[in-house]
């Protein structure tokens, strides 16, 4: 447990907030990560959305921990949402378990992001601007920050569609 906490703190200290990556100059590793995300996402009609969120939220995995907001993993899943989705009691132990899993398990993190997007997709009846805003701000999808986030996701998707991934 101490090792896990140390790892989380180390990752947080070495990685403050992510800026958007240069989509035109992706490394081979970044392209592979995007292909993996797209493959998983396409099965749910969410390929480009998941890729854009991974870029925006974690810079494709460079920034996996945000202790201020308690968001973790490639897609920065909020720990309380992950607990609710997993039907787990909100305890320090369970938060640590899920945070570690969101950071270390691509499939688990991707499933959580897909489930979160599917919830908002149904709630907003496929209004993608609101879906992306809610992914970032929940029911405050109409806030200035959520609308700006939604626009950024749309721009990233536009750029992604122009490259070979």
């Amino acid at each position: 447990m101490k090792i896990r906490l140390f790892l989380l703190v180390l990752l947080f200290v070495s990685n403050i907030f992510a800026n958007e990556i240069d989509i035109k100059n992706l490394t081979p590793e970044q392209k592979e990560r995007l292909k993996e995300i797209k493959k998983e996402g396409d099965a749910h009609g969410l390929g480009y959305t998941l890729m854009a969120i991974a870029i925006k939220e974690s810079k494709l995995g460079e920034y996996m921990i945000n202790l201020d907001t308690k968001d973790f993993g490639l897609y920065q899943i909020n720990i309380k949402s992950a607990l609710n989705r997993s039907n787990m009691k909100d305890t320090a132990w369970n938060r640590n378990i899920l945070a570690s899993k969101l950071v270390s398990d691509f499939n688990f993190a991707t499933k959580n992001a897909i489930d979160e997007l599917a919830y908002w997709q149904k709630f907003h009846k496929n209004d993608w601007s609101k879906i992306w805003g809610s992914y970032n701000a929940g029911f405050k999808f109409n806030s200035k920050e959520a609308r700006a986030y939604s626009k950024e996701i749309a721009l990233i998707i536009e750029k992604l569609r122009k490259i070979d991934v």
Side-chain angles (χ1 to χ4, degrees), residues 71-145:
D71 298 329
F72 299 91
L74 185 63
Y75 312 99
Q76 292 291 287
I77 300 296
N78 184 269
I79 197 66
K80 287 197 178 228
S81 295
L83 285 164
N84 288 336
R85 196 173 293 110
S86 299
N87 294 315
M88 295 174 75
K89 188 175 180 181
D90 187 356
T91 65
W93 177 259
N94 287 341
R95 285 191 303 272
N96 286 337
I97 295 289
L98 285 183
S100 294
K101 202 167 179 183
L102 287 167
V103 169
S104 65
D105 185 335
F106 172 80
N107 291 322
F108 181 74
T110 302
K111 182 186 181 321
N112 270 268
I114 289 169
D115 290 348
E116 184 74 16
L117 287 164
Y119 173 81
W120 293 117
Q121 191 174 11
K122 184 176 180 182
F123 184 86
H124 291 299
K125 298 177 176 64
N126 289 319
D127 182 333
W128 284 101
S129 180
K130 290 179 181 176
I131 294 164
W132 297 326
S134 284
Y135 185 90
N136 180 254
F139 290 102
K140 296 178 183 174
F141 59 88
N142 220 7
S143 69
K144 181 180 177 182
E145 294 82 8

Side-chain angles (χ1 to χ4, degrees), residues 31-55:
K31 284 185 179 182
E32 280 307 308
R33 175 55 58 106
L34 283 175
K35 285 178 185 177
E36 189 177 14
I37 294 168
K38 189 171 187 317
K39 179 182 173 195
E40 293 297 316
D42 279 352
H44 303 274
L46 298 170
Y48 282 102
T49 290
L50 282 177
M51 290 189 304
I53 288 172
I55 288 168

